[in-house]
Amino acid sequence: MPRPQFQQLGVIGCGLIGGSFALAMKRAGLCKRVVGYSKSPSTTETAKKLGVIDVAAESALLAVSGSDIVLIAVPVAATEPTLRAIRHLVQPGTLIMDAGSTKSDVAIAAQKVLGPLAAHFVPAHPIAGKELSGISHADAMLFQGRQVVLTPLPENDPHLVQRAAGAWAALGCKVLKMTPETHDAAYAAVSHFPHLLAFAYFHSVMRQPSGREFMDLAGTGFRDFTRIAGGEATVWRDILLANRDEVLHQSQRLRTALDRLEHFMKEGDASALETVLRQVADARNRWKPAFFDAEDGEPSSHF
């Protein structure tokens, strides 16, 4: 895949993902200059001191000015207002991407706000993250060996889609392409609903009269199962609401599976219960993830 070259990267949202993308682009020699903007001036100042960005922009719009590649690394609920803020300075040939965990809502927002300029916007979802968020944890190697999902829009300029894929590939990513709807259905199943489940389970334990005492007795199984319940609440609020239909569909599927297992337990049907547990255990033990992300991509750093 050809390595694209860019003159200026504009980063809107200088957190872990935006900062890591800037560092990775610099390390790969894909851009000559990085201009960054965050709502907090102290964040952009820190990003500049750490060498993540070269210039601090005073607004999202000014981060786009003169940039031929732009990454919007903000919470999913902020994508539409961000696109609205920058649309007046999108120049011909500019590649704009986001980094959010939901894609259907982002695609709709881009088409609604940008109109014909949506040809420039290629939705993206890098499956990467860390337990610790923020610009101080930005890492040029964050995307190495990870997957990134592109969900091109029908109106996208094919050349810009190719440049987007080439940029992520040059950062060490395996690039996948799918529709926004397929993306949201898949990640509801393997990321968004598991987070909802972890939040709900931990909530159910801690609300019990003896919940604190029970948790004092917990071991690694409880720790591992509930780890992702430590995610940033506002981030997960936005993701769960943005992808609510697919997450609720997964919730119903789980209820069906749980009802079946509970039925076997109520009936004392050891044979049927063991058969299902064995089938699941065998499938889980044979499963090998396509990549390994120690943080599962999203407790604190995804959008």
Side-chain angles (χ1 to χ4, degrees), residues 217-279:
L217 299 172
T220 57
F222 182 85
R223 179 201 65 191
D224 294 345
F225 187 83
T226 62
R227 177 182 60 81
I228 55 177
E232 174 58 46
T234 55
V235 169
W236 281 100
R237 175 202 64 195
D238 291 349
I239 291 172
L240 293 172
L241 289 176
N243 202 22
R244 74 187 79 180
D245 290 344
E246 292 294 347
V247 172
L248 291 173
H249 175 66
Q250 291 299 323
S251 182
Q252 188 56 55
R253 293 184 69 88
L254 177 71
R255 290 175 197 276
T256 300
L258 191 58
D259 285 346
R260 185 183 183 207
L261 293 175
E262 288 179 351
H263 171 74
F264 294 149
M265 292 171 65
K266 290 174 183 176
E267 295 296 317
D269 192 338
S271 176
L273 180 62
E274 181 181 351
T275 296
V276 176
L277 296 181
R278 189 178 302 280
Q279 289 172 348

Side-chain angles (χ1 to χ4, degrees), residues 64-138:
V64 174
S65 179
S67 296
D68 50 350
I69 179 172
V70 175
L71 182 72
I72 299 173
V74 300
V76 290
T79 303
E80 182 173 332
T82 301
L83 291 172
R84 197 177 302 279
I86 69 173
R87 60 184 174 178
H88 300 298
L89 285 183
V90 176
Q91 299 298 313
T94 301
L95 167 62
I96 307 171
M97 297 183 289
D98 75 316
S101 292
T102 57
K103 296 273 75 82
S104 295
D105 59 323
V106 166
I108 292 170
Q111 292 164 329
K112 171 185 172 183
V113 171
L114 297 179
L117 292 175
H120 296 259
F121 182 75
V122 181
H125 178 194
I127 316 301
K130 287 183 176 182
E131 293 284 0
L132 300 173
S133 60
I135 189 62
S136 60
H137 300 286

